[in-house]
Every structure is written in C-alpha cells, then in structure tokens.
C-alpha cells in the first residue's frame, strides 16, 4: 500500500524538517513522525497491556469504571463520533487527569484542580488489571506529552511565532488540561459480538464515524496488519475522497514505528485554519479478511484549560484571517462543547 502522507523526522530542526511539517499540517493535516523516543519493545508492551485489559476483563468488571470527566471505560454503544451515522463499534479506556510532571494518572477531580481533597473515594479508580503497570503507563504518557511539545515547538518555528515557547507555555505538564491517553479496541465481528451488533443500529464496517479531533494535536500508534484509519484527503469524486493510512514500519528495528500525528479543531481554530483539522474515520472494508482485532493507542493533547484561544501571534496566521478573528473562548469551553456533541448529553 503506498503512503500518501509525509514522514517527518522530529529529531532534526533543519529548515527542511520545519518546512515539510508545515506543508503536511497545512495540506493534509496528518503526517508520520519519526525520530521520536519510543522503542519497539515499549510500544509492544503498551499494546499487550491494552489487549490484556480488553480481552481478559469481563464486561461487568469494565462497567465498574464508566467514563466520567472523559476518564474511564467506554463500551460498544456509547460513542457516536459522526452524529449522522450509526454508533461506533469499538471500546476504549481513557487515562486522564494526568500530571505529566509527576506521572500521576486518573487523579480525583478535586486533586487535579488543586482543590482540597474531599474525603470520598477517587471517582477515577484505575482498574486492577493495570495496577502493576501504572508506572509504565505514566512513563508512556509523559513521553507522549514530551513528543507533542517537541512537535508544537517545531510548529511555532514554522509559523514564525516570535516566542519559541508559545505553545509549550500553554501546554505545561503540571497544569489541568483535557489531555487523554487512550487505549482502543475495534473487535473483529465474531459470534460473541455479532449479537450486540444485530440488536442495535450498528453498521459493522464503520468503527469510528467520520469526525475531526477536538484538541491541539493527536498522536497515534497502530500495528502491522491492522489498518483501518481513513482520511478524507483524496479526490471527492472517487470513494468520497477516503484514503487509507498504511502501516509504516520503522527504519530502525529497535525503534517503534513512526507515530501518526494529526491536528485538531482547536489548533486549526487557533491558527485561523493554517493547520488543518482533517476528517477521518476507522472502517473495516465489507467482507475484508482479517485475523485480529484492531488496536490503537492514542494521545489526545489539549492546552491548559484556561488557555484563551486568541489567534497565535504569527504573520502567517494573521494573513490567513478572513476579516474579524473568531471569538476568544477557552480551551476547556471548546472541549466541553465537542464532548457534548459526541455523547449527546451532558459531559459525563
Ligand atoms: O483508532 C484510530 O486509528 C483512530 C481513532 C480516532 O480517530 C479517534 O479516536 O479520534
Ligand atoms: Fe480521531
């Protein structure tokens, strides 16, 4: 399968790196990032852990950790990324309320927001299956956060923002933000899952409905032989423009494959559309032969909650303005609005 996306090495800050990154962000809104810090072993271990949680935990046990404040488990029929279409046939577990400096995960709301700790139990308990690996999950989250900061620094350079820390000072790791580390599973349709599908309005080929991401940027690992991510970047007269993202292997066997990186609505809004937030979905082609579920590991990056989304101070951004700037809302307001649409009710 040919690769329609650019592969950018973020270990370099060369003019070429910065230029290619901006080109990819401005045209496709998606790219592959190599030169990151992740070893193959580490990413494999994260996928193993995800598999263990999804396949060795009963549904009753999973339901003890229902998603709340965007932290926890979401099952097969909860999410609807494209409100016009069927519900998404997938399950996910979100780690959130993370302090990327200390590595603390799933903190209570009170602790996360620096309010005095209430006496009642933490409303975001970590499922026991993850208990022995909490330090490992923290480390992966911290590295993903650092990788995102690195990409944002290169973006600031590409946009000729005078302050090189413009984005990093708005994505500080120890401040409250809606950033989430998510494990996802898109199961094969088997005897045990077919029942769920036939009982509801699920289209089994669409695993994550067409949507754009909400935040600043998204980092994603997928595995060989488990493609399914499609982007709407092609010729609209053919297949509605859907293009499949292939699996791209690492050029160094010790290193994990390149990360898939895309830009979300918030960064697009913040840059007057210079960075594109591209529509994408996950689809299993009808009748396609697969022999495994699809797993992905995703890190959704959000700025600090109270970040005001006034246009990024850059001549490139200013030139892209179509007259008046959009109203300045905060990152948290922006996120809550999008989550409300996804869950079609109050933010859980
Ligand atoms: O699993 C994937 O490949 C994509 C997931 C995705 O787009 C999302 O959760 O926003
Ligand atoms: Fe997405």
């Amino acid at each position: 399968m040919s690769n329609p996306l650019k592969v950018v090495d973020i270990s370099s800050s060369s003019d070429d790196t910065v230029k290619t990154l901006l080109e990819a962000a401005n045209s496709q809104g998606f790219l592959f990032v190599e030169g990151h810090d992740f070893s193959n072993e580490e990413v494999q271990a994260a996928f193993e852990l995800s598999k263990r949680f999804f396949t060795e935990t009963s549904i009753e046990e999973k339901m003890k950790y229902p998603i709340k404040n965007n932290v926890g488990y979401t099952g097969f029929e909860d999410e609807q990324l494209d409100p016009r279409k069927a519900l998404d046939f997938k399950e996910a577990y979100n780690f959130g309320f993370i302090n990327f400096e200390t590595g603390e995960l799933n903190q209570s709301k009170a602790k996360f927001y620096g309010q005095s700790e209430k006496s009642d139990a933490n409303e975001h308990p970590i499922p026991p299956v993850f208990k022995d690996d909490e330090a490992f999950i923290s480390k992966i989250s911290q590295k993903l956060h650092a990788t995102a900061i690195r990409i944002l620094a290169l973006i600031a350079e590409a946009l000729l923002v005078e302050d090189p820390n413009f984005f990093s000072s708005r994505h500080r790791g120890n401040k409250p933000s809606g950033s989430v580390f998510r494990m996802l599973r898109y199961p094969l349709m088997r005897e045990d899952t077919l029942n769920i599908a036939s009982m509801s309005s699920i289209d089994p080929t669409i695993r994550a409905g067409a949507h754009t991401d909400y935040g600043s940027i998204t980092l994603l690992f997928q595995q060989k032989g488990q493609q399914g991510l499609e982007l709407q970047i092609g010729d609209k007269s053919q297949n509605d423009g859907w293009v499949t993202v292939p699996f791209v292997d690492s050029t160094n066997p010790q290193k994990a494959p390149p990360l898939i990186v895309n830009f979300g609505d918030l960064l697009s809004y913040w840059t007057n559309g210079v960075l594109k937030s591209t529509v994408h979905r996950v689809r299993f082609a009808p009748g396609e032969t697969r022999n495994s579920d699809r797993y992905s590991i995703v890190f959704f990056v959000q700025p600090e909650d109270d970040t005001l989304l006034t246009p990024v101070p850059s001549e490139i951004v200013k030139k892209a303005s179509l007259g008046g700037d959009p109203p300045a809302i905060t990152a948290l307001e922006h996120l809550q609005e999008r989550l409300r649409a996804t869950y079609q009710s109050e933010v859980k």
Side-chain angles (χ1 to χ4, degrees), residues 81 90 182 184 186 208 211 213 220 222 229 280 282 294 296 298 300:
L81 283 168
K90 65 170 194 231
R182 169 171 248 203
L184 272 157
Y186 305 86
H211 68 283
D213 287 350
L220 179 142
Q222 62 175 351
L229 179 59
H280 54 284
V282 175
R294 175 171 201 267
S296 59
V298 191
F300 294 107

Side-chain angles (χ1 to χ4, degrees), residues 269-270 272 309-311 321 323-329:
Y269 181 87
W270 210 1
N272 284 330
L309 303 177
T310 44
S321 161
D325 287 321
I329 54 171

